Amino acid sequence: MTPTDLTIAQARDLLAKGEISSMELVEAHIDAMENNRDLNAYITETPEKALAMAQDSDARRAKGEGNGLLEGIPVAIKDLFCTADTLTTAGSHILDGFKPFYESTVTTNMWRQGAVMLGKTNLDEFAMGSSNLTSYHGPAINPWKARGDNRARVPGGSSGGSASAVAGRLALGATGTDTGGSIRQPAAFTGTVGIKPTYGRCSRWGIVAFASSLDQAGPMTRSVRDAAIMLRAMAGHDPKDSTSADIAVPDFEADLDKGVKGMTIGIPKEYRSDGMAPEIEALWQQGIKWLEEQGAKTVEVSLPHTKYALPAYYIVAPAEASSNLSRYDGVKYGLRVEADDLLSMYEKTRAAGFGEEVKRRILIGTYVLSAGYYDAYYLKAQKVRTRIAEDFHHVFGHVDAILTPATPSAAFPSEDPPSDPVSMYLNDIFTVPVNLAGLPGMSVPAGLSGEGLPLGLQVIGKAFDEATVLRVGRAIEQAADFDVRPEGY
Amino acid sequence: MASTIEGATGTWEYVIGLEVHAQIVSNSKLFSGASTEFGSEPNTQVSPVDAGMPGMLPVINMTCIEQAVKTGLAIEGTINRYSVFDRKNYFYPDLPQGYQISQFKQPVVSEGRLVIEMEDGSEKVIGIERLHVEQDAGKSLHDQDPSHSYVDLNRSGVGLMEIVSKPDLRSPEEAAAYVRKLRSILRYVGTCDGNMQEGSMRVDANVSVRKPGGELGTRCEIKNLNSVRFMSRALEYEALRQIDILESGGKVDQETRLFDVGRGETRSMRSKEEAHDYRYFPDPDLLPLRLEQELINGIAASMPELPDAKRHRFMAEFGLSPYDASVLVAEKENADFYEAVAEGRDKKLAANWMISELFGLLNKAGKGIEESPVSAAALGELLDLISDDTISGRTAKEVFAEMFESGKAAGVIVEEKGLKQVTDTGAIEAVIDGVMARETQKVEEYRSGKDKLFGFFVGQVMRASGGKANPKMVNEVLKKKLDG
Amino acid sequence: MSFDKTTIARISRLARIATTEAEQERLAGELGGILAWVEQLDEVDVEGVAPMTSVVEMNLKAREDVVSDGANAEGILKNAPKSAHGFFVVPKVVE
């Protein structure tokens, strides 16, 4: 088997048996990265660092020490995580040349568990987007193509580079971040697995902030088991993040294969209402059937405020972002457009440094927080958010997990994205409520669209019950037996 | 002591409210582990959190919150067990995050009060609207380079308490008394060192004028008054400026003004001209601050005696005058020193010696009480020598000057210089006899009714004894002999 | 919600982002569209509902008051577009 085709679990076992070295794994990936630069999955490749880390890992193993969860495993890091002395761009022009002297907690945890960094992956600028088209470094490309259609497809976003790298066999796994669907939507678009854990499960320290009350890091992998392994390595309480949960991280792999027998799975009726595409509806029904066949009970549940999640999100997220992105002002790091006076320096720097979507969101956020509008927009949206969280809370009184489609469609062509901002925002219609309620959600590949593009199902769980989410995801994965891969990768 | 201003159209009164920014005494910053020490090299006390680096997050320093609670209790405020940190958004080079973490709608302390005492002995209660905790900004230096400003972030993120008074102050004197009293309280509880020169305490003043009892006028905010003296001058100037505008039919613009110390004027701040729209919202990086009642109770139980209580005790128990008590309690170090001196001794004598002698020499030497060459114990020993008639009060002043100069103990100086008071009746009688024998003419005059000469005899006897005769005994014996 | 160029000019100034008149025109349309769309929130009854303050129930954790960070002027300044003598340098600020 080609090293780049392995899952993390397989690579782990081969490494343990001494049948492959971390060096071999890394070298194979470096080759794959060089050969597939057309995917534009990476903004920065760090082959030298990867080789050095692999060498260290192999040395540890030789001494009988290397027993980390990700020992010797080459992974890609979304370029939203600060990595010490390595360019960190957030997909933006405004962070030009920025090399932090600190390392994010999540990546620190992963290196401590023996992982090896291949490079930093492409993303929508400041994680704002569902297509990867807003990256200053050019769009990442989805390895998948529709049948009989050679047009490049978007890998989704914002973690599009990570999705593309994992689907294109350019990394065994990758980190993503998810504010409104930024792990799950690209996972669905690329036939990969992506889990956004409960808010507070992974530390946000050292991750460039988009919307602080919604941002969460999570793994993107080619199997549910890999997601379980990687999440465990990433997660954990961090005293440097006041919103990090002081809750023990379980061995997510332990109960992975215990099945769904006896579980109750909620099927929210409100997710059906918005003129759902027939093939998405069919996929969902198929998912329900798979779970029932494995002994789960499915019940219709109601999440009445679902339709208000997206508009509430598009107030809360831009408001927080407008404030979080104020620090990019040309004074301390990154781009500066020189001017004679301070105000012009600020205005020119930020006009040149931010792309259109980021500007749009900063301006919306500025507006909804401004004097006279705060109550009507921001406060109202936070109240609606309480309603949405209550909806989930009620439902989780009697179900173990919720099953929905991950996205309303398959990946669209890069050259033909939804024409206006609101249509683009609708990509996240199924994923956004989960962020607003802070719950764990996972996208699992479940089938192909009529055009031959991957589609995903979403499993939503109770707070800090990622174990159940993964278990349900594993059941779907087994039933779906999704073994197709993008042609040529 | 409200003071009014006579304008061309009649009498005007001041309406003043003060916002005091007091730097919290803590080792590390409000939301980061960088040091708060003053005066270090630029940008050497800056964590990536304080520099607004990407991905950095704040974590609250609990000591800063406890200090705020302590201060809240000292100003008799309500401690809110639920308060919220908000972001105040604006752009400025010394504000690296682009927002200041502060408390807007739900501060940690609300509704306090503070009593000020005026020079005429009157008291007035000044309401305190709120006390909230916030981050300090960095420092911009504007005069290092003709076209650039330099930014040092050492102060960025240091914890501050903003203490906002109600507009209850009616004169620059009241404002000054308020600031001094607040400073005294902060230093008593150890939550702020009150050092205005180093910027540990900064005052912004809101000032308007009105006809007494009339409608409130439009106010102006004067920024960054870094001494009580400058504040008083700025308030006087600003009130006159507003009266001039109003009396010539104009309208006062609500604006932020800066006090120009050199010119003694306030002027409009260009950089703040733009309409403020701080877009406050709860900081999503922090959770609401919930305080356990136990924590508050614990802090309440550990509160030191505050200046007002101490002043009343000095008056009621020690019999000190209101003035003496006020002077002694203003600084905790003085009050502690005084109590050490007065312990087991004559309280009024101790107070007099502290205020007129010790403070006099310290002032002249430009020293604070903590640098006093005479310790409380040493001063106490001196007072004991007065009380047991070893030396007279007059001699004691000489001895004290010597103690202040040389640091020697009172007993040693008295011994070395032979200043011990003569209390032997026989010896005193001998001196008196000598004087009476010399001044027969004056004795005659006295005995024929010129009572006023008694003082002359006392002086002669004291001089003849080299100042060492006990004055009380001299009086007694002299009286007996002259009248006899 | 009608959204005009003046509003865009005001908020882009607040956000310190220079915008040309043409951009203001375009943004007025885009933002107007987005804000019209979010107005459906008015349908939700939020009477007596507390705004979300933290999505997961937990208490604010605090730090010990110890100096554990900071002495790294070089690291703080190394990415600065302009610095001198240990300071960040910006165009002159007029007060």
Side-chain angles (χ1 to χ4, degrees), chain B residues 369-411:
Chain B
I369 192 113
E370 64 287 352
E371 305 160 295
S372 170
V374 178
S375 69
L379 179 55
E381 187 201 334
L382 179 68
L383 299 190
D384 289 341
L385 294 178
I386 300 170
S387 301
D388 68 10
D389 287 337
T390 306
I391 52 173
S392 69
R394 230 184 88 211
T395 307
K397 288 184 189 177
E398 283 170 41
V399 174
F400 184 68
E402 170 80 20
M403 289 166 73
F404 198 89
E405 193 67 36
S406 67
K408 283 184 189 166

Short mmCIF file of all heavy atoms in Angstrom, two decimals, chain B residues 369-411:
data_model
loop_
_atom_site.label_atom_id
_atom_site.label_comp_id
_atom_site.label_asym_id
_atom_site.label_seq_id
_atom_site.Cartn_x
_atom_site.Cartn_y
_atom_site.Cartn_z
N ILE B 369 7.55 60.24 55.82
CA ILE B 369 7.66 59.67 57.16
C ILE B 369 8.47 58.39 57.16
O ILE B 369 9.18 58.09 58.12
CB ILE B 369 6.26 59.44 57.77
CG1 ILE B 369 6.35 59.13 59.27
CG2 ILE B 369 5.55 58.27 57.08
CD1 ILE B 369 5.77 60.18 60.11
N GLU B 370 8.40 57.66 56.04
CA GLU B 370 9.14 56.40 56.01
C GLU B 370 10.66 56.63 55.97
O GLU B 370 11.42 55.72 56.23
CB GLU B 370 8.66 55.53 54.83
CG GLU B 370 8.89 56.07 53.43
CD GLU B 370 7.96 57.23 53.03
OE1 GLU B 370 7.02 57.54 53.79
OE2 GLU B 370 8.21 57.82 51.97
N GLU B 371 11.07 57.87 55.68
CA GLU B 371 12.51 58.17 55.67
C GLU B 371 12.93 58.94 56.91
O GLU B 371 14.04 59.47 56.98
CB GLU B 371 12.87 59.03 54.45
CG GLU B 371 12.45 58.45 53.12
CD GLU B 371 12.37 59.53 52.03
OE1 GLU B 371 11.52 60.43 52.14
OE2 GLU B 371 13.19 59.46 51.10
N SER B 372 12.02 59.08 57.86
CA SER B 372 12.32 59.91 59.03
C SER B 372 13.53 59.37 59.79
O SER B 372 13.60 58.19 60.11
CB SER B 372 11.11 59.92 59.97
OG SER B 372 11.46 60.52 61.20
N PRO B 373 14.50 60.27 60.08
CA PRO B 373 15.68 59.82 60.84
C PRO B 373 15.32 59.52 62.29
O PRO B 373 16.08 58.86 62.99
CB PRO B 373 16.65 61.00 60.76
CG PRO B 373 15.96 62.08 59.99
CD PRO B 373 14.56 61.69 59.71
N VAL B 374 14.15 60.02 62.74
CA VAL B 374 13.72 59.75 64.11
C VAL B 374 12.60 58.72 64.05
O VAL B 374 11.57 58.96 63.42
CB VAL B 374 13.22 61.05 64.79
CG1 VAL B 374 12.72 60.75 66.20
CG2 VAL B 374 14.31 62.11 64.79
N SER B 375 12.82 57.60 64.69
CA SER B 375 11.80 56.56 64.65
C SER B 375 10.71 56.87 65.67
O SER B 375 10.87 57.75 66.52
CB SER B 375 12.42 55.20 65.00
OG SER B 375 12.78 55.21 66.37
N ALA B 376 9.59 56.14 65.55
CA ALA B 376 8.49 56.34 66.49
C ALA B 376 8.97 56.06 67.92
O ALA B 376 8.65 56.79 68.85
CB ALA B 376 7.33 55.43 66.12
N ALA B 377 9.79 55.04 68.08
CA ALA B 377 10.27 54.70 69.42
C ALA B 377 11.15 55.81 69.97
O ALA B 377 11.08 56.17 71.15
CB ALA B 377 11.04 53.38 69.35
N ALA B 378 11.99 56.38 69.08
CA ALA B 378 12.91 57.44 69.52
C ALA B 378 12.14 58.69 69.94
O ALA B 378 12.47 59.33 70.94
CB ALA B 378 13.89 57.77 68.39
N LEU B 379 11.10 59.01 69.15
CA LEU B 379 10.29 60.17 69.50
C LEU B 379 9.57 59.89 70.83
O LEU B 379 9.46 60.77 71.69
CB LEU B 379 9.30 60.48 68.38
CG LEU B 379 8.34 61.66 68.63
CD1 LEU B 379 9.11 62.95 68.96
CD2 LEU B 379 7.44 61.90 67.42
N GLY B 380 9.13 58.65 71.00
CA GLY B 380 8.45 58.27 72.24
C GLY B 380 9.37 58.47 73.44
O GLY B 380 8.96 58.99 74.47
N GLU B 381 10.62 58.11 73.29
CA GLU B 381 11.58 58.26 74.39
C GLU B 381 11.74 59.74 74.77
O GLU B 381 11.78 60.10 75.94
CB GLU B 381 12.94 57.68 73.96
CG GLU B 381 13.96 57.64 75.08
CD GLU B 381 15.42 57.56 74.59
OE1 GLU B 381 15.63 57.06 73.46
OE2 GLU B 381 16.31 58.03 75.33
N LEU B 382 11.76 60.58 73.74
CA LEU B 382 11.89 62.01 73.98
C LEU B 382 10.68 62.52 74.79
O LEU B 382 10.82 63.29 75.74
CB LEU B 382 11.99 62.75 72.64
CG LEU B 382 12.11 64.28 72.73
CD1 LEU B 382 13.44 64.70 73.35
CD2 LEU B 382 11.96 64.92 71.35
N LEU B 383 9.49 62.06 74.36
CA LEU B 383 8.28 62.49 75.05
C LEU B 383 8.30 62.02 76.50
O LEU B 383 7.84 62.73 77.39
CB LEU B 383 7.02 61.98 74.34
CG LEU B 383 6.81 62.45 72.89
CD1 LEU B 383 5.42 62.06 72.41
CD2 LEU B 383 7.01 63.96 72.76
N ASP B 384 8.85 60.84 76.72
CA ASP B 384 8.94 60.34 78.09
C ASP B 384 9.83 61.25 78.94
O ASP B 384 9.55 61.49 80.11
CB ASP B 384 9.51 58.91 78.10
CG ASP B 384 8.52 57.91 77.54
OD1 ASP B 384 7.30 58.24 77.49
OD2 ASP B 384 8.96 56.80 77.13
N LEU B 385 10.90 61.75 78.35
CA LEU B 385 11.80 62.63 79.07
C LEU B 385 11.10 63.94 79.45
O LEU B 385 11.40 64.54 80.48
CB LEU B 385 13.06 62.92 78.23
CG LEU B 385 13.98 61.71 77.97
CD1 LEU B 385 15.16 62.12 77.09
CD2 LEU B 385 14.49 61.13 79.29
N ILE B 386 10.17 64.36 78.58
CA ILE B 386 9.40 65.57 78.91
C ILE B 386 8.43 65.25 80.05
O ILE B 386 8.33 65.98 81.03
CB ILE B 386 8.60 66.07 77.69
CG1 ILE B 386 9.56 66.42 76.54
CG2 ILE B 386 7.74 67.28 78.06
CD1 ILE B 386 8.86 66.70 75.20
N SER B 387 7.74 64.14 79.90
CA SER B 387 6.71 63.80 80.87
C SER B 387 7.27 63.58 82.27
O SER B 387 6.62 63.92 83.25
CB SER B 387 5.96 62.54 80.43
OG SER B 387 5.38 62.78 79.18
N ASP B 388 8.47 62.99 82.35
CA ASP B 388 8.99 62.76 83.71
C ASP B 388 9.88 63.90 84.17
O ASP B 388 10.69 63.74 85.08
CB ASP B 388 9.70 61.40 83.78
CG ASP B 388 10.98 61.37 82.97
OD1 ASP B 388 11.44 62.45 82.49
OD2 ASP B 388 11.53 60.27 82.78
N ASP B 389 9.74 65.06 83.52
CA ASP B 389 10.43 66.28 83.92
C ASP B 389 11.95 66.21 83.83
O ASP B 389 12.65 67.01 84.42
CB ASP B 389 10.04 66.69 85.36
CG ASP B 389 8.63 67.24 85.41
OD1 ASP B 389 8.16 67.71 84.34
OD2 ASP B 389 8.00 67.18 86.46
N THR B 390 12.47 65.25 83.06
CA THR B 390 13.92 65.20 82.88
C THR B 390 14.38 66.42 82.08
O THR B 390 15.43 66.99 82.36
CB THR B 390 14.33 63.90 82.13
OG1 THR B 390 13.78 62.81 82.84
CG2 THR B 390 15.84 63.77 82.04
N ILE B 391 13.59 66.77 81.08
CA ILE B 391 13.92 68.00 80.33
C ILE B 391 12.64 68.80 80.15
O ILE B 391 11.53 68.25 80.22
CB ILE B 391 14.52 67.69 78.92
CG1 ILE B 391 13.62 66.72 78.14
CG2 ILE B 391 15.93 67.15 79.03
CD1 ILE B 391 14.04 66.49 76.72
N SER B 392 12.80 70.06 79.86
CA SER B 392 11.65 70.91 79.63
C SER B 392 11.25 70.79 78.16
O SER B 392 12.02 70.30 77.33
CB SER B 392 12.00 72.36 79.93
OG SER B 392 12.92 72.83 78.94
N GLY B 393 10.06 71.28 77.86
CA GLY B 393 9.59 71.26 76.48
C GLY B 393 10.53 72.04 75.59
O GLY B 393 10.78 71.64 74.45
N ARG B 394 11.04 73.12 76.07
CA ARG B 394 11.91 73.94 75.23
C ARG B 394 13.21 73.21 74.93
O ARG B 394 13.67 73.17 73.80
CB ARG B 394 12.20 75.27 75.94
CG ARG B 394 11.94 76.45 75.03
CD ARG B 394 12.32 77.75 75.71
NE ARG B 394 13.71 78.07 75.48
CZ ARG B 394 14.46 78.75 76.35
NH1 ARG B 394 13.93 79.12 77.51
NH2 ARG B 394 15.69 79.04 76.06
N THR B 395 13.77 72.63 75.98
CA THR B 395 15.00 71.85 75.77
C THR B 395 14.74 70.70 74.79
O THR B 395 15.56 70.39 73.93
CB THR B 395 15.49 71.27 77.11
OG1 THR B 395 15.58 72.32 78.04
CG2 THR B 395 16.83 70.58 76.94
N ALA B 396 13.55 70.12 74.96
CA ALA B 396 13.21 68.97 74.11
C ALA B 396 13.29 69.33 72.63
O ALA B 396 13.72 68.53 71.81
CB ALA B 396 11.81 68.46 74.46
N LYS B 397 12.87 70.56 72.29
CA LYS B 397 12.94 70.96 70.87
C LYS B 397 14.38 70.97 70.36
O LYS B 397 14.66 70.54 69.24
CB LYS B 397 12.31 72.33 70.70
CG LYS B 397 10.79 72.25 70.83
CD LYS B 397 10.10 73.57 70.56
CE LYS B 397 8.63 73.40 70.93
NZ LYS B 397 7.86 74.64 70.77
N GLU B 398 15.28 71.46 71.22
CA GLU B 398 16.70 71.44 70.82
C GLU B 398 17.17 69.99 70.64
O GLU B 398 17.87 69.66 69.69
CB GLU B 398 17.58 72.05 71.91
CG GLU B 398 17.54 73.55 71.98
CD GLU B 398 18.24 74.03 73.25
OE1 GLU B 398 19.31 73.46 73.61
OE2 GLU B 398 17.69 74.95 73.91
N VAL B 399 16.79 69.18 71.64
CA VAL B 399 17.21 67.77 71.59
C VAL B 399 16.67 67.12 70.31
O VAL B 399 17.37 66.39 69.61
CB VAL B 399 16.71 67.01 72.83
CG1 VAL B 399 17.02 65.51 72.70
CG2 VAL B 399 17.32 67.58 74.09
N PHE B 400 15.40 67.43 69.98
CA PHE B 400 14.78 66.82 68.81
C PHE B 400 15.51 67.21 67.53
O PHE B 400 15.78 66.36 66.66
CB PHE B 400 13.30 67.23 68.74
CG PHE B 400 12.58 66.55 67.60
CD1 PHE B 400 12.34 65.19 67.64
CD2 PHE B 400 12.15 67.28 66.50
CE1 PHE B 400 11.69 64.56 66.60
CE2 PHE B 400 11.50 66.65 65.46
CZ PHE B 400 11.27 65.28 65.51
N ALA B 401 15.87 68.49 67.44
CA ALA B 401 16.60 68.95 66.25
C ALA B 401 17.90 68.16 66.11
O ALA B 401 18.27 67.73 65.01
CB ALA B 401 16.88 70.44 66.35
N GLU B 402 18.53 67.94 67.24
CA GLU B 402 19.78 67.18 67.24
C GLU B 402 19.55 65.71 66.85
O GLU B 402 20.32 65.13 66.09
CB GLU B 402 20.40 67.28 68.65
CG GLU B 402 21.58 66.37 68.92
CD GLU B 402 22.89 66.91 68.34
OE1 GLU B 402 22.95 68.13 68.08
OE2 GLU B 402 23.82 66.10 68.12
N MET B 403 18.45 65.17 67.37
CA MET B 403 18.11 63.78 67.02
C MET B 403 17.89 63.67 65.52
O MET B 403 18.33 62.73 64.86
CB MET B 403 16.80 63.35 67.72
CG MET B 403 16.91 63.13 69.21
SD MET B 403 15.26 63.04 69.97
CE MET B 403 14.72 61.42 69.42
N PHE B 404 17.17 64.63 64.96
CA PHE B 404 16.85 64.61 63.53
C PHE B 404 18.12 64.70 62.71
O PHE B 404 18.26 64.07 61.67
CB PHE B 404 15.92 65.79 63.22
CG PHE B 404 15.17 65.64 61.92
CD1 PHE B 404 13.94 65.00 61.88
CD2 PHE B 404 15.70 66.14 60.73
CE1 PHE B 404 13.26 64.86 60.69
CE2 PHE B 404 15.02 65.99 59.54
CZ PHE B 404 13.78 65.35 59.51
N GLU B 405 19.07 65.50 63.24
CA GLU B 405 20.32 65.71 62.53
C GLU B 405 21.21 64.47 62.61
O GLU B 405 21.73 63.99 61.61
CB GLU B 405 21.04 66.90 63.19
CG GLU B 405 22.20 67.46 62.41
CD GLU B 405 21.74 68.11 61.11
OE1 GLU B 405 20.64 68.73 61.11
OE2 GLU B 405 22.45 67.97 60.11
N SER B 406 21.41 63.98 63.86
CA SER B 406 22.43 62.96 64.08
C SER B 406 21.89 61.54 64.19
O SER B 406 22.64 60.58 64.07
CB SER B 406 23.19 63.28 65.38
OG SER B 406 22.30 63.12 66.47
N GLY B 407 20.61 61.43 64.43
CA GLY B 407 20.03 60.10 64.59
C GLY B 407 20.29 59.52 65.97
O GLY B 407 19.96 58.37 66.25
N LYS B 408 20.90 60.33 66.86
CA LYS B 408 21.18 59.83 68.21
C LYS B 408 19.90 59.75 69.04
O LYS B 408 18.94 60.48 68.79
CB LYS B 408 22.16 60.76 68.93
CG LYS B 408 23.59 60.61 68.46
CD LYS B 408 24.49 61.50 69.30
CE LYS B 408 25.90 61.54 68.72
NZ LYS B 408 26.67 62.64 69.30
N ALA B 409 19.92 58.93 70.08
CA ALA B 409 18.76 58.81 70.96
C ALA B 409 18.69 60.03 71.87
O ALA B 409 19.71 60.66 72.20
CB ALA B 409 18.87 57.56 71.81
N ALA B 410 17.47 60.38 72.31
CA ALA B 410 17.24 61.57 73.13
C ALA B 410 18.06 61.51 74.42
O ALA B 410 18.74 62.48 74.80
CB ALA B 410 15.76 61.70 73.44
N GLY B 411 18.02 60.36 75.09
CA GLY B 411 18.72 60.21 76.37
C GLY B 411 20.20 60.48 76.22
O GLY B 411 20.82 61.13 77.06
#
